[in-house]
Structure formats: structure tokens, C-alpha cells
Amino acid sequence: MIGLISATAAGAAARDRLAAAWPERTRVYDGPVGEAVRAAFAECEQLVCFLATGAVVRLLAPLLGDKAADPGVVCVDEGGRFAVSLLGGHGGGANELAREVGASLGAEPVVTTATDAVGLPGLDTLGLPYEGSVAAVSRALLDGEPVALRAEVAWPLPPLPVTAEGSYTVRLTDRAITAGEREVLLRPPTLVVGVGASKGAPAAEVLGLIEGTLAGAGLSPASVAELATVDAKAQEPGIVAAAERLGVPLVTYSAEELAGVEVPNPSDAPLTAVGTPSVAEAAALRGGGALVVPKRKSERADGRPAMATCAVVRRPGRGRLAVVGLGPGARDLLTPRATAELRRASVLVGLDQYVDQIRDLLRPGTRVLESGLGAEEERARTAVAEARKGHAVALIGSGDAGVYAMASPALAEACDDIDVVGVPGVTAALAAGAILGAPLGHDHVSISLSDLHTPWEVIERRVRAAAEADLVVTFYNPRSRGRDWQLPKALAILAGHREPATPVGVVRNASRPDESSRVTTLGGLDPAIVDMMTVVTVGNTATREIAGRMVTPRGYRWQETSSTNGSAAGREAAR
């Protein structure tokens, strides 16, 4: 929960705007400011104070405890101009909160944390448990001192200015070791613990077995990704409680799935009880990986039979491929999720002109693999290959990466040996539609007129089907120097089903500085004004031009309405 505190009417106005924008995330603290800050500090994970920074500092000073436990605090001036990350920039999430507050209120986020200021990822912001001298190693990175990366297990990380050797160390490990004086340990979630238990097995026995097994193998509990067991034990209280205490999910598999897993230590007991010769080993191995601790049984002080078993598997680190849509070109149409993925990637793959659009967002040290037009399949193969090496990769495309862009060839190359994340973007059709008015207000279709990869016969059949179905049509790749006849042919097909006065929107370089647009008609469109940077949107039989804008009504009540009184019909439909 985010506590909101203000002292003046101006501050309260900005406070209330944020509260209205985030009703589920925020709580307003009224009353005397000092009491409000103390209450929110004790009860909330984060605070936003609409007060002067000096006043907030004085109010917070007596409350401060440990940087790992104190809430993150953002201070917003009463004019709503700046959102200052004041306390708990990393640990309390105040840096990110300042950016969110800024985006919501139109304020400039102010982040002074050293790593953020120079574009380096904070070692405590990588999403991994960490131990050791974060401040000392971060300072060394900032000062340009040699910091060595010791990756005992593979895991995709954002770019870090690390070297092969150095007096400071970042160690990526799941071993139970103590960090050195100049060392940070990062704990990737590489371990899966398979668990079996008799009915009524005490939570203390299950948890004690797991912790003892990990300790005996020299493995860190912080690297446990999940507990795994058979479906029949999904509600077993001891297993459920152990997962909760370790803070990891409990994953279950059917007996049939586990029976198909080859294990070194099968047993008749679980086969009789739940239908599989192995629970602990099979559940741990079901997702792949290497068995590092074979099945172990719990030991009871009273000498009675063990009620729990466990086994530990180390899963290999998986590379990560984010397929990112950059939108139509304008920076403010690039989504926050896309920006986060660009900053997370250690390798960026993309068309050179798209790389230039977002180069300033990349962290220092990001490896950029760019190429020119016509190399889509090569870029897709390169991105997947880099992810298979264990890297965090971003493959970029314009608009939405899944619409005539890089997601399709990349996913055709990718197998289940890497993690793939799709990041949606604003498409060219949507950007053009917003500029034109509301041409996509009813059923619509997008069709690419490029026959480089699709036979023209197929394209023509699709255009004809759209024409017969009375769909609004957005044409991508409508015309180039080497392809100048496809657009006239497609328009002719549509003209067989629509009147010459049907509105047509032409948008070039949507959302970019040299954007241009016009609304014309199906009979009046000159294909010569169209090129590959243009999107052409052809209305259906209900689409009208109203006040210079294309509008397709949600219903077909305008079907019988003449264009002369279309404005009145538009007003009626809007009610």
C-alpha cells in the first residue's frame, strides 16, 4: 500500500489526483502532517508526500531504521512539477515509484541514486536475492575499477561493466557460501526441490528435511525456485506450509506425468499410495535439469518411520528473448514495458533504423547487433542464438512486434529451451486510425500488399474476401518502387463492392515529426502519393467523413444515410 500525505490545498489536489488514478494501491492519510507521516511510515510499503523535501526529511529522520526495511518515500512539490525519490530508492522501490508518479501526474521524476544516474543497473534491483557488499561493489563499478563476474551458473543479466579479473567480484551462485569483503553474491533461482510426504506429515519435518538436505549439499535456500510434488499431495498441509515458509510456489504434476520420468531410486511405496514409483525425484526432474541430491528421507527423533522425502535438481539457466514492439515511432507511444525490456537486455538485435530510435534508452555496455532491410530471418536466428547462449536478448520491431514484424520469424526459430516474452506495441494501423478519426470503429482487417513472401494470388483472395464481407481494410506495405501495381489492383477489387465516395485515409510516418495525413475517397485516391512508409485505410459502406475525419459507426444505422446528413447521423450514433 502507498500512503499519501499532504498539508495544503494545492498538495491535496495533486494527492487526490493520484488517489483517483490508483484507487487500489493508495490510502490517503489525513490529519496533522506529523501524525500522518508516522502512521503511514509504520503501515505502508511506500509513501508519497506532497510536501517540501526539507519538511519531509525532518519528519522522517526520527523514524528511520534499516535501509532494507524502511519504506520507499517520494516527495512531490505542491505545484506537481517534480517527483523526487527521497528514501529507499532501490530497496524501497522509490526510484521506480517516482517514475510512475511522474507519468501519472505529469511531473518530472528526480532520481539521484548513483547507478541510476549513469544508467547502470543496481545490483540490488536485478530481481535476484543478494548478499554481501552491494555498496562497495557498486561504488567500484561507478568508479571504473575492475569488477570480476564469476558466473558459477548461467543466468541472463542486464549489461554490467565487468571484467574477467578484478579486486571486486560479483558472483552468480547457488552455493551456500559467505560473501567476501569485496563481493556480492547473486542467487539465481536454479534449484527445484521435489517433495513427497505421508498423509499428515508435520510441516516441521518437511521443512527440516529440505533445509537439512540443502545444507548438507552446500546449497543456498535463496536459490530454491519451487517445491514440486504429485497432484495428490497438492493440499498436504506439511508440504504447503513448507513452501510458504520458503516463500516459493508449490508446483504439482499428475501421477501419470511423474511415472514417465526416469529416476535412480524408484519405490513400490509411492506407486501403491499415489500411482507413481517416484514422487520426490520425479517431481524435481519433471521440468528438466540435473539431479544434484538424490532422494533423502527425513529422520525422526522418536525413531518412527520417516514421513517425508525430498530430492534436489539444478536446472540450467535459460536465456531470455523479449520480442519488443517499439510502436509507430513517437517516443511517447513507446510503452513503459518496452522501455523496461530494452534496459534489461544485455543484447539488442534489430533493424538499424529502429535501433537508432531507442539507442539512448540502452544501458551502457549493451551489445547491439543491427542489420539493414531484408535481413529479418537472419535477425530472428541471431536473437534466438544469443538467447540460447544464456543472454537476456531484446529483438525489436516497429509497431507491434507480432504484426508484420519480428515475433513470427523469431518464434518459428525458438524452441522451449529459452524463455520468450512478447511486449505489445501500438501498431501502425492504430496510430493511423487515431490520426484519421475512428475508421476502425467496426470490424476491420489488416492486409499486407507485399508479395515478397506471400503469392499475389493469396493476397488478392484475401482482399476480395474483405471486400465481400464489407470490412474496413488497412493496407500495410502498400506500394514501393518495385511494386507499384498491387495497390491499384487491390483498390479496384474494393471498388467492385463500394461506392467511389467511400472515405479512404492515407497516413505517412504516423506519429513521427514528418507525419502527414489526408482523407480522400476510393475514387479519388492517387496511388502515386503512397509509399512504404504509408498506411492506407479504406472504409466500409458505413464509413463517413465527418468534419474532415473518417468515422465508421459501431452499428450499421448509417447504411441508408446519405453523406449529406452524415454529420447528424454521427451525432445521433455518438449519444
Side-chain angles (χ1 to χ4, degrees):
M1 186 61 66
I2 303 172
L4 306 181
I5 301 105
S6 64
T8 66
R15 177 202 67 191
D16 292 345
R17 285 170 54 202
L18 194 62
W22 299 346
E24 304 299 324
R25 299 177 59 190
T26 57
R27 179 191 304 163
V28 173
Y29 283 78
D30 291 316
V33 172
E35 295 178 10
V37 168
R38 285 191 290 273
F41 195 91
E43 297 169 359
C44 297
E45 293 83 13
Q46 295 175 318
L47 281 70
V48 179
C49 298
F50 295 84
L51 303 163
T53 53
V56 177
V57 167
R58 293 181 183 279
L59 290 168
L60 291 178
L63 308 177
L64 300 182
D66 184 274
K67 64 179 295 184
D70 288 340
V73 179
V74 169
C75 186
V76 179
D77 66 289
E78 295 177 349
R81 299 168 301 165
F82 303 103
V84 182
S85 175
L86 191 66
L87 179 70
H90 286 169
N95 290 351
E96 183 57 33
L97 180 60
R99 297 184 182 100
E100 288 188 78
V101 171
S104 181
L105 299 181
E108 180 71 23
V110 179
V111 175
T112 59
T113 308
T115 50
D116 293 76
V118 298
L120 291 177
L123 296 175
D124 52 352
T125 66
L126 300 179
L128 301 177
Y130 58 90
E131 304 164 25
S133 304
V134 171
V137 176
S138 296
R139 189 178 305 112
L141 289 170
L142 290 166
D143 291 343
E145 296 189 43
V147 177
L149 176 65
R150 302 278 187 260
E152 298 177 1
V153 291
W155 201 260
L157 294 174
L160 292 168
V162 292
T163 60
E165 300 294 334
S167 55
Y168 294 84
T169 305
V170 175
R171 190 179 301 274
L172 198 64
T173 181
D174 57 17
R175 294 188 297 121
I177 58 175
T178 302
E181 183 179 350
R182 295 185 168 190
E183 185 174 50
V184 170
L185 304 180
L186 299 178
R187 302 294 192 183
T190 54
L191 305 177
V192 177
V193 180
V195 183
S198 302
K199 184 176 181 179
E205 182 173 346
V206 177
L207 186 62
L209 171 64
I210 295 170
E211 292 178 336
T213 298
L214 292 171
L219 298 172
S220 171
S223 282
V224 175
E226 62 190 41
L227 298 191
T229 190
V230 67
D231 283 347
K233 298 296 179 180
Q235 303 300 321
E236 185 63 43
I239 296 178
V240 172
E244 290 176 350
R245 293 183 193 179
L246 288 169
V248 298
L250 176 62
V251 177
T252 65
Y253 301 99
S254 69
E256 182 180 6
E257 288 177 297
L258 297 186
V261 179
E262 186 175 345
V263 298
N265 300 294
S267 173
D268 291 335
L271 180 61
T272 301
V274 294
T276 173
S278 172
V279 173
E281 289 180 339
L285 286 165
R286 180 63 178 78
L291 188 66
V292 292
V293 182
K295 181 177 69 176
R296 288 190 54 182
K297 295 183 179 180
S298 57
E299 297 179 1
R300 307 191 69 180
D302 57 9
R304 299 178 67 183
M307 296 187 73
T309 60
C310 81
V312 183
V313 161
R314 176 183 285 122
R315 290 182 181 171
R318 292 166 61 89
R320 187 176 190 276
L321 173 62
V323 188
V324 181
L326 301 180
R331 179 57 60 85
D332 59 356
L333 292 181
L334 179 70
T335 68
R337 186 179 301 179
T339 301
E341 289 294 346
L342 294 175
R343 296 181 64 76
R344 176 174 181 163
S346 60
V347 180
L348 182 86
V349 182
L351 179 67
D352 46 14
Q353 58 185 287
Y354 297 154
V355 172
D356 289 341
Q357 290 179 22
I358 48 82
R359 197 183 298 272
D360 62 302
L361 296 178
L362 304 179
R363 292 193 186 276
T366 303
R367 186 155 52 96
V368 177
L369 305 176
E370 55 189 308
S371 52
L373 287 169
E376 288 83 2
E377 293 181 1
E378 177 187 344
R379 285 194 290 275
R381 286 192 293 269
T382 297
V384 171
E386 290 292 331
R388 284 185 175 138
K389 294 176 184 177
H391 298 305
V393 182
L395 174 63
I396 59 174
S398 66
D400 182 280
V403 179
Y404 302 122
M406 294 305 302
S408 179
L411 269 61
E413 292 284 336
C415 298
D416 62 359
D417 56 348
I418 62 173
D419 294 327
V420 178
V421 178
V423 182
V426 177
T427 67
L430 294 177
I435 294 165
L436 295 170
L440 307 182
H442 209 290
D443 296 338
H444 55 274
V445 63
S446 295
I447 299 176
S448 171
L449 294 184
S450 172
D451 56 359
L452 295 177
H453 302 290
T454 305
W456 174 253
E457 294 76 14
V458 175
I459 297 172
E460 183 173 337
R461 187 167 67 247
R462 291 171 180 171
V463 174
R464 198 173 303 281
E468 293 173 352
D470 197 26
L471 298 173
V472 175
V473 181
T474 298
F475 288 123
Y476 280 70
N477 306 312
R479 185 175 180 271
S480 67
R481 291 180 180 177
R483 294 186 302 99
D484 59 0
W485 59 268
Q486 287 90 343
L487 179 59
K489 177 66 173 177
L491 294 173
I493 294 172
L494 291 175
H497 299 266
R498 300 175 195 184
E499 296 295 327
T502 300
V504 174
V506 180
V507 180
R508 188 176 189 278
N509 286 332
S511 85
R512 300 183 184 184
D514 55 346
E515 168 191 302
S516 64
S517 66
R518 69 175 68 184
V519 177
T520 180
T521 63
L522 185 56
L525 173 62
D526 179 6
I529 68 172
V530 174
D531 62 13
M532 285 290 287
M533 305 304 293
T534 306
V535 173
V536 177
T537 302
V538 182
N540 65 10
T541 56
T543 305
R544 295 290 181 267
E545 180 182 347
I546 302 174
R549 293 181 284 270
M550 281 181 72
V551 181
T552 302
R554 295 184 63 184
Y556 282 92
R557 286 176 290 173
W558 290 357
Q559 191 83 30
E560 305 279 332
T561 305
S562 69
S563 59
T564 57
N565 58 5
S567 295
R571 289 191 293 272
E572 176 64 26
R575 290 176 186 153

